[in-house]
Amino acid sequence: MVKEHLAQNIIELYQIYAQEWIELRGKGLSEKVWLDRFLSLLPSSANILDLGCGSGQPIAAYFIAQGYQITGVDASEYMIEMARQSFPEHIWVQQDFREYFTEQKFQGVLAWDSFFHLTPDDQRKMFKRFAEYAQSGTALMFSSGPEQGEAIGSLFGEPLYHASLSVEEYQTLLQDNGFKLIKMIAEDVECTGHTIWLAQYL
């Protein structure tokens, strides 16, 4: 029950500490090798849906610099306002991405350092939504935990919820929702220990 409460508190934490998080996150791209793998599956000028986009820095900014079109979704009003100020020609939506719906199809769908804050049940539900955003060839990339379970980290001294399904369940969810797994690395040493999934919609 305590963990469930912490899971529901994620959005509030990122709203309270939005400015501090932006400063902490900075503009470094330790995940560049994976962003490039993701982009290699996309046509030029593709539309990318960034779920949990934050302020748009540095990931959306990296995509935009290479000519991609971004729709970013984040629940933090402050972060979305920062993204709008930095990149006014792109689409920024203030909303819990679990509740975001659009009939638009995207060539890329990203949930980086956001998906793993969802409860296991909410993660399972997102795979159907990923498929609804996709068209043939759409690339999907998200970060998870390395194994099934829940963990509590820290954000500026506050408890920060994370959860992960098992490797086998992620594989099954991808397959059952029309995605082919392209690459997965658990605790990638080249990407600050991230566990990353890259898949493509068939």
Side-chain angles (χ1 to χ4, degrees):
M1 185 63 69
V2 173
K3 287 185 177 179
E4 182 178 337
H5 168 71
L6 292 176
Q8 300 306 317
N9 200 38
I10 292 292
I11 290 173
E12 183 180 354
L13 282 181
Y14 279 105
Q15 288 174 334
I16 292 171
Y17 294 104
Q19 186 171 359
E20 292 89 342
W21 170 249
I22 290 170
E23 293 173 0
L24 177 67
R25 180 60 177 91
K27 298 185 179 181
L29 274 176
S30 60
E31 54 275 273
K32 182 179 181 298
V33 63
W34 280 96
L35 300 182
D36 289 341
R37 286 176 181 143
F38 174 73
L39 294 179
S40 73
L41 301 175
L42 275 57
S44 59
S45 302
N47 286 298
I48 297 173
L49 177 62
D50 188 349
L51 299 171
C53 63
S55 68
Q57 296 282 1
I59 292 178
Y62 182 68
F63 295 155
I64 290 168
Q66 297 182 69
Y68 295 92
Q69 301 300 309
I70 303 298
T71 297
V73 182
D74 200 282
S76 169
E77 180 180 3
Y78 183 86
M79 290 193 187
I80 286 294
E81 183 56 34
M82 292 301 98
R84 288 173 179 156
Q85 289 182 20
S86 298
F87 311 105
E89 296 182 357
H90 296 262
I91 299 170
W92 307 101
V93 180
Q94 185 201 346
Q95 190 172 17
D96 183 333
F97 69 73
R98 292 171 294 186
E99 301 170 359
Y100 177 69
F101 176 78
T102 177
E103 294 184 355
Q104 182 179 352
K105 302 297 183 182
F106 298 88
Q107 290 79 51
V109 178
L110 181 74
W112 188 271
D113 284 357
S114 56
F115 184 71
F116 58 26
H117 287 311
L118 303 183
T119 65
D121 281 344
D122 281 342
Q123 290 189 28
R124 294 180 182 106
K125 293 173 185 176
M126 282 301 302
F127 284 86
K128 181 176 183 291
R129 189 64 57 86
F130 291 153
E132 291 171 347
Y133 298 140
Q135 59 188 35
S136 180
T138 292
L140 167 67
M141 190 164 71
F142 63 92
S143 49
S144 73
E147 59 187 8
Q148 183 175 355
E150 295 175 299
I152 307 302
S154 177
L155 181 70
F156 302 107
E158 303 279 1
L160 186 66
Y161 177 88
H162 301 78
S164 182
L165 307 179
S166 68
V167 168
E168 293 77 15
E169 186 169 7
Y170 283 129
Q171 291 171 334
T172 298
L173 285 165
L174 286 168
Q175 182 176 352
D176 288 352
N177 287 278
F179 289 92
K180 175 185 177 182
L181 181 61
I182 302 298
K183 193 175 185 68
M184 178 270 181
I185 297 180
E187 299 181 317
D188 187 359
V189 295
E190 294 185 355
C191 191
T192 61
H194 278 73
T195 295
I196 307 113
W197 297 80
L198 177 62
Q200 194 164 27
Y201 194 69
L202 299 177

